[in-house]
């Protein structure tokens, strides 16, 4: 049956046209003047108005291509995001692999240079599970007498190094295995998250290397062009750089995956605050590792300028007073020793918290960019406490030495660490405030 209104073919039993929706037996009325015209008329014979209307199927026919045109666009966006997920995951797991390999090569290098050349000696983490204690016992046995302070000052950095090395090995191994298993399952079930464990493995290696250096770091320079310094070994430094590069690629892929979300004000503010907090947390960790005390010894025309960590300060004063004449320690010795030990403890805790804050911010890039105020506040408080104990150590150490030829002073590292911890806190507060305003709007 042909509809007399739109001219489309319909089933014979149709009561209404399935294209224009009009009743099949309804007279062909002119839409302008209402005159009843013949069923096959194209124009009204009374007023000349066209009787054939654009049917509903035409509208649907034009709508369907639009719907089909948008579908491929959505598929392309999904494929691009999946590509970023795959590439980012590959970079992250590559960084995990580097952390797993280089943790077994972690060590420090002591370099002595002069006008005649330079020599270097590397101590690996394995030495702190046996040979380091044997060497220390041999040294103490060769001495006629020494105080318990001196013995403690000698053993404490070795014990701390052993704890740091063992913890780093275990953490990197455990997080690597967990992240590898979850990464394999992630391909079958994308809901399984592996990123936090992978990031934890990478940062456990970096944290272990940083803490290892913080415990043993020291530099010394003499006016006779002789210099001594302790730094990361070549393998350790290479591992940190490679892990940092591939971790950066992962962060870049997470940022690229956001796509159009960057047009939203809340996303932009969250991203800027998160990146600032990441940068500041890295700088807090870097300056926390650096030596905190500086001692200058002037002997005639020669001078020794040494930057020391707190274990080295304790070693220095314990060596000077290793055999007191009357058997009693001088005034301010206990205060200097205790403050120095407390500063070392706070330094290590601050380093751990700074790295954990860094891990939280990196893990939240893209999908969960929120303020980490609960982490930034303790970091700032510990940085301030670290600075206080550093100042107390310098003060009591100066009173203890009481020698015009010896100058003990604070270096800039603890102060800069406090500044960047305050900036990390400011970034977190700003992020939280802007997120709160966005919710209210």
């Amino acid at each position: 049956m042909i509809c007399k209104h739109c001219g489309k073919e319909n089933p014979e039993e149709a009561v209404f046209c399935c294209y224009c929706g009009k009743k099949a037996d309804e007279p062909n009325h002119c839409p302008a003047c209402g005159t009843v015209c013949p069923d096959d008329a194209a124009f009204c014979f009374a007023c000349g108005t066209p009787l054939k209307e654009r049917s509903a199927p035409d509208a649907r026919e034009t709508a369907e291509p639009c719907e089909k045109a948008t579908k491929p666009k959505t598929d392309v966006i999904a494929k691009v995001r999946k590509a970023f997920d795959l590439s980012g995951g590959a970079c992250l797991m590559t960084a995990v692999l580097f952390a797993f390999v280089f943790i077994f090569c972690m060590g420090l290098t002591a370099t002595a240079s002069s006008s005649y050349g330079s020599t270097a000696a590397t101590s690996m983490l394995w030495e702190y599970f046996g040979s380091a204690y044997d060497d220390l016992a041999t040294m103490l046995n060769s001495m006629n007498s020494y105080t318990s302070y001196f013995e403690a000052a000698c053993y404490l950095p070795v014990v701390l190094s052993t704890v740091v090395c063992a913890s780093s090995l275990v953490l990197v191994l455990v997080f690597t295995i967990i992240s590898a298993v979850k990464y394999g399952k992630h391909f079958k079930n994308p809901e399984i998250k592996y990123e936090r464990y992978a990031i934890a493995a990478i940062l456990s290696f970096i944290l272990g290397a940083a803490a290892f250096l913080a415990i043993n770091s020291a530099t010394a320079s003499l006016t006779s062009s002789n210099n001594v310094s302790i730094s990361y070994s070549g393998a350790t430094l290479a591992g940190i750089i490679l892990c940092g590069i591939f971790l950066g690629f992962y962060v870049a892929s997470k940022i690229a995956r956001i796509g159009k979300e960057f047009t939203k004000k809340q996303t932009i503010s969250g991203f800027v605050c998160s990146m600032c907090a990441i940068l500041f947390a890295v700088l807090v960790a870097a300056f926390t590792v650096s030596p905190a005390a500086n001692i200058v010894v002037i002997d005639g025309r020669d001078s020794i300028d040494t930057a020391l960590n707190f274990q080295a300060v304790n070693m220095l004063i314990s060596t000077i007073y290793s055999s007191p004449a009357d058997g009693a320690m001088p005034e301010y010795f206990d205060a200097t020793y205790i403050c120095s030990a407390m500063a070392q403890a706070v330094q290590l805790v601050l380093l751990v918290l700074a790295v954990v804050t860094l891990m939280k911010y990196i893990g939240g890039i893209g999908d969960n960019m929120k303020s980490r105020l609960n982490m930034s506040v303790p970091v700032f408080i510990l940085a301030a406490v670290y600075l206080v104990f550093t100042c107390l150590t310098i003060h009591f150490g100066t009173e203890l030495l009481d020698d015009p030829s010896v100058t003990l002073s604070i270096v800039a590292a603890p102060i800069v660490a406090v500044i960047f911890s305050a900036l990390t806190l400011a970034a977190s507060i700003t992020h939280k405030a802007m997120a709160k305003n966005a919710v209210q709007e």
Side-chain angles (χ1 to χ4, degrees):
M1 182 188 72
I2 304 299
C3 178
K4 60 185 178 182
H5 301 290
C6 64
K8 299 290 184 178
E9 185 175 358
N10 287 270
E12 290 298 330
E13 66 273 13
V15 178
F16 291 89
C17 177
C18 58
Y19 295 100
C20 66
K22 292 185 178 181
K23 197 170 183 180
D25 59 354
E26 184 179 352
N28 191 12
H29 290 282
C30 174
C33 64
T35 302
V36 178
C37 300
D39 292 343
D40 57 350
F43 296 90
C44 176
F45 61 82
C47 65
T49 302
L51 299 177
K52 302 295 182 182
E53 299 176 354
R54 185 171 181 83
S55 61
D58 297 330
R60 285 194 296 271
E61 288 170 3
T62 57
E64 287 176 2
C66 294
E67 184 179 354
K68 291 177 181 177
T70 56
K71 189 175 181 181
K73 185 177 180 181
T74 305
D75 291 342
V76 169
I77 294 175
K79 289 180 180 178
V80 170
R81 287 187 173 180
K82 186 175 181 180
F84 280 126
D85 284 338
L86 291 174
S87 60
C91 290
L92 186 62
M93 294 309 296
T94 301
V96 172
L97 177 62
F98 282 128
F100 178 74
V101 171
F102 283 100
I103 187 64
F104 296 100
C105 306
M106 190 170 75
L108 299 175
T109 298
T111 305
S113 60
S114 66
S115 56
Y116 300 101
S118 62
T119 58
T122 300
S123 60
M124 304 296 292
L125 78 164
W126 305 110
E127 297 178 18
Y128 290 87
F129 295 103
S131 61
Y133 292 92
D134 295 336
D135 295 340
L136 188 56
T138 301
M139 183 197 74
L140 292 176
N141 290 333
S142 64
M143 299 176 63
N144 294 326
S145 63
Y146 51 84
T147 64
S148 57
Y149 287 103
F150 180 77
E151 185 178 12
C154 291
Y155 270 106
L156 191 56
V158 179
V159 172
L160 286 176
S161 297
T162 303
V163 172
V164 166
C165 293
S167 301
S168 301
L169 282 169
V170 172
L171 289 174
V172 171
L173 181 61
V174 170
F175 286 130
T176 298
I177 294 173
I178 294 175
S179 60
V181 172
K182 287 186 174 291
Y183 182 64
K185 293 181 178 180
H186 176 76
F187 288 98
K188 294 183 178 179
N189 183 8
E191 295 299 323
I192 297 177
K193 302 297 182 182
Y194 65 93
E195 291 89 345
R196 68 177 64 180
Y197 300 101
I199 294 172
I202 298 165
L203 294 184
S204 293
F205 163 63
I206 296 175
L207 172 61
F212 195 21
L213 179 63
I215 295 169
N216 298 280
S217 62
T219 61
S221 60
L222 289 69
T223 53
S224 56
S225 302
N226 295 323
N227 298 286
V228 179
S229 63
I230 299 176
S231 59
Y232 293 119
S233 65
T236 306
L237 185 59
I240 293 174
I241 293 174
L242 288 171
C243 287
I245 290 173
F246 282 93
L247 187 59
F249 286 154
Y250 164 74
V251 173
S253 68
K254 293 280 285 184
I255 295 170
R257 188 184 181 279
I258 297 175
K260 286 187 176 181
E261 292 294 320
F262 261 121
T263 58
K264 296 181 181 179
K265 181 179 178 181
Q266 185 176 358
T267 304
I268 296 174
S269 62
F271 171 74
V272 172
C273 291
S274 295
M275 294 306 295
C276 288
I278 289 173
L279 175 62
F280 296 146
V282 168
L283 292 172
V284 169
F287 283 101
T288 301
V289 171
S290 302
N294 188 73
I295 184 168
V296 178
V297 180
I298 301 175
D299 183 13
R301 291 183 298 177
D302 293 332
S303 67
I304 302 174
D305 190 345
T306 308
L308 304 171
N309 68 347
F310 295 103
Q311 291 301 328
V313 170
N314 275 346
M315 181 73 74
L316 174 66
I317 62 174
S318 298
T319 302
I320 294 175
Y321 300 102
S322 59
S323 299
D326 55 358
M329 286 299 183
E331 188 180 7
Y332 296 113
F333 181 89
D334 289 343
T336 305
Y337 197 94
I338 293 172
C339 287
S340 179
M342 290 298 297
Q344 178 81 83
V346 175
Q347 179 191 30
L348 295 176
V349 176
L350 173 60
L351 180 60
V352 172
L353 275 182
V355 174
V356 171
T357 303
L358 183 63
M359 181 180 69
K360 293 285 187 180
Y361 270 108
I362 292 176
I365 288 291
D367 301 326
N368 190 25
M369 291 188 295
K370 62 181 182 180
S371 174
R372 309 291 175 177
L373 193 59
N374 59 332
M375 298 299 300
S376 302
V377 171
V379 168
F380 174 71
I381 293 174
L382 277 175
V385 173
Y386 173 53
L387 179 60
V388 169
F389 276 116
T390 302
C391 293
L392 289 174
T393 302
I394 300 301
H395 169 71
F396 290 126
T398 302
E399 296 292 335
L400 172 65
L401 296 173
D402 192 22
D403 188 343
S405 64
V406 180
T407 303
L408 186 63
S409 61
I410 185 173
V411 298
I415 301 172
V416 177
V418 172
I419 293 173
F420 282 116
S421 66
L423 291 174
T424 306
L425 178 61
S428 300
I429 294 174
T430 303
H431 189 177
K432 192 174 185 66
M434 295 182 74
K436 185 177 181 180
N437 291 336
V439 171
Q440 291 176 350
E441 292 176 0

